[in-house]
Amino acid sequence: MTDLSRIVAVCPGTYDPVTEGHLDIIRRAAGLFQQVVVGVVAHSPRKDTLLTAEERLTFLEDSLGGSDNIRVEIFDILLVDFARKWGARALVKGLRAISDFEYEFQMAQLNRKLAPDLETVYLMASPEYSFLSSSGVKEIAKYGGKVDDLVPPAVAARLAELFS
Amino acid sequence: MTDLSRIVAVCPGTYDPVTEGHLDIIRRAAGLFQQVVVGVVAHSPRKDTLLTAEERLTFLEDSLGGSDNIRVEIFDILLVDFARKWGARALVKGLRAISDFEYEFQMAQLNRKLAPDLETVYLMASPEYSFLSSSGVKEIAKYGGKVDDLVPPAVAARLAELFS
Amino acid sequence: MTDLSRIVAVCPGTYDPVTEGHLDIIRRAAGLFQQVVVGVVAHSPRKDTLLTAEERLTFLEDSLGGSDNIRVEIFDILLVDFARKWGARALVKGLRAISDFEYEFQMAQLNRKLAPDLETVYLMASPEYSFLSSSGVKEIAKYGGKVDDLVPPAVAARLAELFS
Amino acid sequence: MTDLSRIVAVCPGTYDPVTEGHLDIIRRAAGLFQQVVVGVVAHSPRKDTLLTAEERLTFLEDSLGGSDNIRVEIFDILLVDFARKWGARALVKGLRAISDFEYEFQMAQLNRKLAPDLETVYLMASPEYSFLSSSGVKEIAKYGGKVDDLVPPAVAARLAELFS
Amino acid sequence: MTDLSRIVAVCPGTYDPVTEGHLDIIRRAAGLFQQVVVGVVAHSPRKDTLLTAEERLTFLEDSLGGSDNIRVEIFDILLVDFARKWGARALVKGLRAISDFEYEFQMAQLNRKLAPDLETVYLMASPEYSFLSSSGVKEIAKYGGKVDDLVPPAVAARLAELFS
Amino acid sequence: MTDLSRIVAVCPGTYDPVTEGHLDIIRRAAGLFQQVVVGVVAHSPRKDTLLTAEERLTFLEDSLGGSDNIRVEIFDILLVDFARKWGARALVKGLRAISDFEYEFQMAQLNRKLAPDLETVYLMASPEYSFLSSSGVKEIAKYGGKVDDLVPPAVAARLAELFS
């Protein structure tokens, strides 16, 4: 049997920008696993990001500062390779809705094909964040709407600046 | 921060009977958590069970025998109280399909309301078991269909006996 | 064009028992329509109710007392006939999840076939009640779990009494 | 390669009672396959039927009379064994909604495990029947609602008689 | 209690182009609310529109002309701010399918966070329009397919002209 | 009644690139219908393709070579017109997941409006391919991941070349 004394989990995402919903999932993951590595996808495969990878990493680090067992890293390789590099046994994802479920189900099976030893585990989004997405936040911010309850203060300030 | 050196997880279910799909989820859970307690619901809230609680426990123990960090227990109290009794930090459930997702999402939120410190984590069913349910197995067995690939041999034998 | 000065809406349900989620939908409906009639289904088509129709009506009336434009009525006829009797233009239902959506979509089309002038309108459940159902409440109460935040105090007391 | 000159398809169901939606699927299947066998499940695994198997068969035969390549049969064995008995290459099912999809997906995989050579093919319900189910029809008829557009005339008459 | 004598509802959309499905929802909304304001999103956040905002407004006005309680307006601000400007108590949206439901559920919660007094109410698409979307219409028109039953005649003519 | 001795079915797709999941559906369709025409969409309506239409056709032909009743054709017209041109009675599509179901339901109804005689029939994806999509394959290949089990060898080689 494997040594279970130190299980590493990866929380992957684009985090463009990080929301309170992301932070909730990451903190809950850190209550279940000995070490959590937040993996920031350098380049989103589908569209250009609003923030640079470095900005996205900094906002995560600032919001999660003080957690002993969480670290944040940028990656530009296949997710399963990133997980392997950190010795991770698990990927942790949040599920908000059916469309997440669908996509995640396919990704879980695909990743398992690529890396049979890596489990993907899911946490259901907290009800108060179940409506929250990075793209929703950006759409509100673009029209000058208030996003203070949805993202950390520094992110809200940066979005206001970008869309002013 | 909580001591993370020994995290207990509960895999609850009616297991009437246990299927290869259940065993797959339990074994994968045992690769992620230090101790797994399989919780057998004594009386199903919705319908009578085919097998007694003791039979269901025995089939689980026989199938999982030899795993150091898995034990099987019957319970007849609220799930969150059972989890608390064993000092569990997590419930582990398998997700096969959208209807599972819906039900599980509501249960996760309800259980979180009852026990805020208890996380529910989900593993996606392996593709080869994504079609498998205890009630499907019973329906096949009832008409004399072959269930050997779907449940452990002792369960298949018992079902054949019950429906002969 | 129809006279729109007094639109009646019906909120149908079994309410066995009423939950905070039901009350939220009814109150929100009363902010949109001039008169809301809460219709309590006398006999559930699928299973026996725990509470009598009179008990269910009383708990609703006690919880909604003081709202000028809400009244509660028991009915034992086809829903569209009940709505017609009250001159209702709309049925109001809460949507919590995909499985609700599916069922409601079929009911909406069926009711429209039976009564083309009656619209069914949907309100999304508030996130804090999106996990809440009468059957979930009963299951918790049955095992002695705390349901105080989920139902009105009088309902919680009655459930405790019934399951003691 | 198999001889494709005469492909038999089975349309299984409880048909308690047959609806216009069922007839639509059966007739469309008969436009695609050389021979269609409508298989009437003798005893529903989940609940008692309202009509006897013979009544259900008769209503189907009366409604489908005159179709050269459709026949109706009662069965009380495993569906895949019934299909095999008739030399069927395909099962044909209608899909109305997500919950159908879920259930059907699991049944398709289960049946494929039991009978690898038997394909399950799906036709989407016509929009005008997408809301229609046998249980909905019975619920309406029970309260004296009009079901004339939803089922064949003889079925409507029988339901009126049963619920009077 | 709020004065309910004059409730305004907003029907927001890109309407690129308006379809018979959109018109059905707008007209049904106008049977439930005293005043309906159709809000035409000036710039779609996701992709370029085929028609200008003015064209989209004109096609709506031409199709809805003669309805006393419907007006059409272009907007380029946050939807909740547009609703507030018109004193609207409700947003009215059509639901066609699960993917709509998902997206709409998240938007409803997000908008409620931004404007707690604004309700989002949903009407289920009529079965005959449940398959209809602006992008589907454009795809058909692009290949010279017939869209006469799907959109108003003037829209069909304009699409034919654009894709010729 | 129509002559059913020779039924043609069309399997449409972009096939950018063809996956083992596509091939599984096409081969199963060829077991049900006398003639299968694989229709390769020349230009994807949503995004640029990675491979040319000719490359996509060649990979399909190479993988399906030897099947008497399957041919591959590129098309750049409306799908229903392509089907009509080949005298097809049916379109055959694979269903992997809920999001497929939603999209396919709308397309089926739309196509039926355009061509009432053309049926769309669905086969459920085999469990081992239920996670597989062309875009997933491209994403893995882009980061140098192994796609040998997911696509035919010639496709894997071409992807490696394109992304090197």
Side-chain angles (χ1 to χ4, degrees):
Chain A
M1 211 173 64
T2 4
D3 168 25
L4 293 165
S5 61
R6 185 167 176 77
I7 299 183
V8 177
V10 163
C11 291
T14 307
Y15 303 108
D16 184 43
V18 62
T19 68
E20 293 295 337
H22 295 135
L23 295 173
D24 178 57
I25 293 292
I26 294 167
R27 288 184 186 121
R28 288 160 61 194
L32 289 172
F33 296 99
Q34 281 76 355
Q35 175 68 41
V36 166
V37 180
V38 180
V40 180
V41 178
H43 304 98
S44 170
R46 303 208 195 136
K47 55 171 182 287
D48 288 343
T49 56
L50 178 70
L51 306 174
T52 66
E54 286 67 29
E55 279 181 302
R56 290 178 276 135
L57 172 136
T58 304
F59 286 131
L60 277 159
E61 282 184 337
D62 290 355
S63 308
L64 295 164
S67 306
D68 287 2
N69 66 337
I70 305 177
R71 60 182 302 160
V72 189
E73 299 286 335
I74 296 172
F75 72 102
D76 199 14
I77 54 179
L78 210 52
L79 174 55
V80 295
D81 291 333
F82 177 69
R84 205 173 279 141
K85 181 180 143 190
W86 286 94
R89 182 93 47 81
L91 301 175
V92 180
K93 311 289 293 280
L95 280 180
R96 283 168 312 176
I98 294 300
S99 46
D100 281 359
F101 173 80
E102 288 290 325
Y103 176 76
E104 292 296 342
F105 179 75
Q106 297 196 5
M107 289 311 295
Q109 309 298 10
L110 198 49
N111 283 330
R112 235 180 135 190
K113 186 109 188 170
L114 297 172
D117 290 343
L118 184 66
E119 281 289 347
T120 309
V121 307
Y122 297 92
L123 304 179
M124 296 285 179
S126 301
E128 64 269 32
Y129 302 128
S130 62
F131 56 86
L132 195 51
S133 69
S134 294
S135 56
V137 164
K138 282 182 280 192
E139 204 168 318
I140 296 170
K142 190 174 148 192
Y143 287 104
K146 211 168 114 42
V147 296
D148 301 51
D149 293 349
L150 310 176
V151 293
V155 173
R158 180 75 180 115
L159 291 175
E161 189 182 25
L162 279 166
F163 288 117
S164 70
Chain B
M1 208 173 66
T2 1
D3 169 24
L4 294 165
S5 61
R6 186 169 175 75
I7 298 185
V8 177
V10 163
C11 291
T14 307
Y15 302 109
D16 183 44
V18 62
T19 67
E20 292 295 339
H22 295 135
L23 295 173
D24 177 56
I25 294 290
I26 294 167
R27 288 184 187 120
R28 287 159 61 193
L32 288 172
F33 296 99
Q34 282 76 356
Q35 175 70 41
V36 166
V37 180
V38 180
V40 180
V41 178
H43 305 98
S44 171
R46 306 212 190 131
K47 55 171 182 289
D48 288 343
T49 56
L50 178 71
L51 306 175
T52 66
E54 285 68 29
E55 279 181 302
R56 289 178 275 136
L57 173 135
T58 304
F59 286 131
L60 278 158
E61 282 183 339
D62 289 356
S63 308
L64 295 164
S67 306
D68 287 1
N69 65 338
I70 305 178
R71 61 182 302 160
V72 190
E73 299 285 334
I74 296 173
F75 72 102
D76 198 15
I77 54 178
L78 210 52
L79 173 56
V80 295
D81 292 333
F82 176 71
R84 206 173 279 142
K85 182 180 143 189
W86 286 94
R89 182 92 49 82
L91 302 175
V92 180
K93 312 290 291 284
L95 281 180
R96 283 168 312 178
I98 295 300
S99 46
D100 280 1
F101 172 80
E102 288 289 326
Y103 176 76
E104 293 296 342
F105 179 74
Q106 295 195 7
M107 290 312 293
Q109 308 298 6
L110 198 49
N111 283 331
R112 238 182 134 189
K113 186 109 188 168
L114 296 172
D117 290 344
L118 185 68
E119 281 290 347
T120 308
V121 308
Y122 298 91
L123 303 180
M124 296 286 179
S126 300
E128 63 269 34
Y129 302 128
S130 63
F131 57 86
L132 194 50
S133 69
S134 294
S135 55
V137 165
K138 283 181 280 192
E139 206 168 316
I140 296 170
K142 191 173 148 193
Y143 288 104
K146 211 167 114 39
V147 296
D148 302 52
D149 293 349
L150 311 176
V151 293
V155 173
R158 179 75 180 116
L159 290 176
E161 187 183 25
L162 279 167
F163 288 117
S164 72
Chain C
M1 209 173 66
T2 2
D3 169 24
L4 294 165
S5 61
R6 187 168 174 74
I7 298 184
V8 178
V10 163
C11 291
T14 308
Y15 302 110
D16 183 45
V18 62
T19 68
E20 293 295 338
H22 295 135
L23 295 173
D24 178 57
I25 294 290
I26 295 168
R27 288 184 187 121
R28 287 160 60 193
L32 288 173
F33 296 99
Q34 282 76 355
Q35 176 68 41
V36 167
V37 180
V38 180
V40 180
V41 178
H43 305 98
S44 171
R46 306 216 189 128
K47 55 170 182 288
D48 288 343
T49 57
L50 177 71
L51 305 175
T52 66
E54 286 68 30
E55 279 181 302
R56 288 178 276 136
L57 173 135
T58 304
F59 286 131
L60 277 158
E61 282 184 338
D62 289 356
S63 308
L64 294 164
S67 306
D68 287 1
N69 66 338
I70 304 177
R71 60 181 303 160
V72 188
E73 299 285 334
I74 295 172
F75 72 102
D76 199 13
I77 54 179
L78 210 52
L79 174 55
V80 295
D81 292 332
F82 177 71
R84 206 173 277 141
K85 181 180 144 190
W86 286 95
R89 183 93 47 82
L91 302 175
V92 180
K93 311 291 292 284
L95 281 181
R96 284 168 311 180
I98 295 299
S99 47
D100 281 0
F101 172 81
E102 288 291 324
Y103 177 76
E104 292 297 340
F105 179 75
Q106 296 195 5
M107 289 312 293
Q109 309 297 8
L110 197 50
N111 283 331
R112 237 183 135 187
K113 187 111 188 168
L114 297 172
D117 291 343
L118 185 67
E119 280 290 346
T120 308
V121 307
Y122 297 91
L123 304 179
M124 296 285 179
S126 301
E128 64 270 33
Y129 302 129
S130 63
F131 56 86
L132 195 50
S133 70
S134 294
S135 56
V137 164
K138 283 182 279 192
E139 206 169 317
I140 295 171
K142 192 175 148 192
Y143 287 104
K146 210 167 116 39
V147 296
D148 302 51
D149 294 348
L150 310 176
V151 293
V155 173
R158 181 73 181 117
L159 291 176
E161 189 182 23
L162 280 166
F163 288 118
S164 72
Chain D
M1 209 175 64
T2 3
D3 168 25
L4 293 165
S5 61
R6 186 167 175 75
I7 299 184
V8 178
V10 163
C11 292
T14 307
Y15 302 108
D16 183 44
V18 63
T19 68
E20 293 295 340
H22 295 135
L23 295 173
D24 178 57
I25 294 291
I26 295 167
R27 288 185 186 120
R28 288 159 60 193
L32 288 173
F33 296 98
Q34 282 77 355
Q35 175 70 40
V36 166
V37 180
V38 181
V40 180
V41 178
H43 305 98
S44 171
R46 306 212 192 131
K47 54 170 183 289
D48 288 344
T49 57
L50 178 71
L51 306 174
T52 66
E54 286 69 29
E55 279 181 303
R56 289 178 277 136
L57 173 136
T58 304
F59 286 131
L60 277 158
E61 282 183 339
D62 290 356
S63 307
L64 295 164
S67 306
D68 288 1
N69 66 338
I70 305 178
R71 60 181 303 161
V72 189
E73 299 286 335
I74 296 172
F75 71 103
D76 198 14
I77 53 178
L78 210 53
L79 174 55
V80 295
D81 291 332
F82 177 71
R84 206 172 279 142
K85 181 180 144 190
W86 286 95
R89 183 93 47 82
L91 301 175
V92 180
K93 311 290 293 282
L95 279 181
R96 285 169 311 179
I98 295 298
S99 46
D100 281 1
F101 172 81
E102 289 289 326
Y103 177 76
E104 293 297 342
F105 179 75
Q106 297 195 5
M107 289 311 294
Q109 309 297 8
L110 198 50
N111 283 331
R112 237 182 134 188
K113 186 110 189 169
L114 297 172
D117 289 344
L118 184 67
E119 279 290 346
T120 308
V121 308
Y122 297 91
L123 303 179
M124 296 285 179
S126 300
E128 62 270 33
Y129 302 127
S130 63
F131 57 86
L132 195 49
S133 69
S134 294
S135 56
V137 164
K138 283 181 279 191
E139 205 169 317
I140 295 170
K142 191 175 148 194
Y143 288 104
K146 212 168 117 36
V147 296
D148 301 52
D149 294 348
L150 311 176
V151 293
V155 173
R158 181 73 180 116
L159 290 176
E161 190 182 22
L162 279 167
F163 288 118
S164 71
Chain E
M1 210 174 65
T2 2
D3 169 25
L4 294 165
S5 62
R6 186 168 177 73
I7 299 184
V8 177
V10 163
C11 292
T14 307
Y15 303 109
D16 182 45
V18 62
T19 68
E20 293 295 338
H22 294 136
L23 295 172
D24 178 56
I25 293 291
I26 295 167
R27 288 183 187 121
R28 287 161 62 194
L32 288 172
F33 296 99
Q34 282 75 355
Q35 176 68 40
V36 166
V37 181
V38 180
V40 180
V41 178
H43 305 98
S44 171
R46 305 210 193 133
K47 54 171 181 287
D48 288 343
T49 57
L50 178 70
L51 306 174
T52 67
E54 286 67 31
E55 279 181 302
R56 290 177 275 136
L57 173 136
T58 304
F59 286 131
L60 277 158
E61 282 184 337
D62 290 356
S63 308
L64 295 164
S67 307
D68 287 1
N69 65 338
I70 304 177
R71 59 181 304 160
V72 189
E73 299 286 334
I74 296 171
F75 73 102
D76 199 13
I77 54 178
L78 210 51
L79 174 55
V80 295
D81 291 332
F82 177 70
R84 205 172 279 143
K85 182 180 144 190
W86 286 95
R89 183 92 49 81
L91 302 175
V92 180
K93 312 290 292 282
L95 280 181
R96 283 168 312 177
I98 295 298
S99 47
D100 281 0
F101 173 79
E102 287 290 325
Y103 176 75
E104 292 297 342
F105 179 75
Q106 297 196 4
M107 289 311 293
Q109 309 298 8
L110 198 50
N111 283 330
R112 236 181 135 190
K113 186 110 188 168
L114 296 173
D117 291 343
L118 185 67
E119 281 289 347
T120 308
V121 308
Y122 297 91
L123 303 179
M124 296 285 180
S126 300
E128 64 269 33
Y129 302 129
S130 62
F131 57 85
L132 195 50
S133 69
S134 294
S135 56
V137 164
K138 283 181 280 192
E139 205 169 317
I140 296 170
K142 191 175 147 191
Y143 287 104
K146 212 168 113 43
V147 296
D148 301 51
D149 294 347
L150 310 176
V151 294
V155 173
R158 180 73 180 116
L159 291 177
E161 189 182 24
L162 279 167
F163 288 117
S164 70
Chain F
M1 212 174 64
T2 3
D3 168 25
L4 294 166
S5 61
R6 186 168 175 76
I7 299 184
V8 177
V10 163
C11 292
T14 307
Y15 302 109
D16 183 44
V18 62
T19 68
E20 293 295 337
H22 295 137
L23 295 173
D24 177 56
I25 294 291
I26 295 167
R27 288 183 187 121
R28 288 160 61 193
L32 289 171
F33 296 99
Q34 281 76 355
Q35 175 68 41
V36 166
V37 180
V38 181
V40 180
V41 178
H43 305 99
S44 171
R46 305 209 193 134
K47 54 173 183 285
D48 288 343
T49 57
L50 178 71
L51 306 174
T52 67
E54 286 68 29
E55 279 181 302
R56 290 177 276 136
L57 173 135
T58 304
F59 286 130
L60 277 157
E61 283 184 337
D62 290 355
S63 308
L64 296 163
S67 306
D68 287 1
N69 66 338
I70 304 178
R71 60 182 301 160
V72 190
E73 298 286 335
I74 296 172
F75 71 103
D76 198 15
I77 54 178
L78 210 51
L79 173 56
V80 295
D81 292 332
F82 176 71
R84 205 172 279 142
K85 182 179 142 191
W86 286 94
R89 183 91 49 81
L91 302 175
V92 180
K93 312 289 291 282
L95 280 181
R96 284 167 312 177
I98 295 298
S99 47
D100 280 1
F101 173 80
E102 287 291 325
Y103 177 76
E104 292 297 341
F105 180 75
Q106 296 196 4
M107 290 312 293
Q109 308 298 9
L110 199 49
N111 283 331
R112 236 181 135 191
K113 186 109 190 172
L114 296 172
D117 291 343
L118 185 66
E119 282 289 347
T120 309
V121 309
Y122 297 91
L123 304 179
M124 296 284 179
S126 301
E128 64 269 34
Y129 302 128
S130 63
F131 56 87
L132 194 50
S133 68
S134 294
S135 56
V137 164
K138 283 181 279 191
E139 206 170 315
I140 295 170
K142 191 175 149 192
Y143 288 105
K146 210 168 116 41
V147 296
D148 301 50
D149 294 348
L150 310 176
V151 293
V155 173
R158 180 74 179 114
L159 291 177
E161 186 182 26
L162 279 166
F163 288 118
S164 69

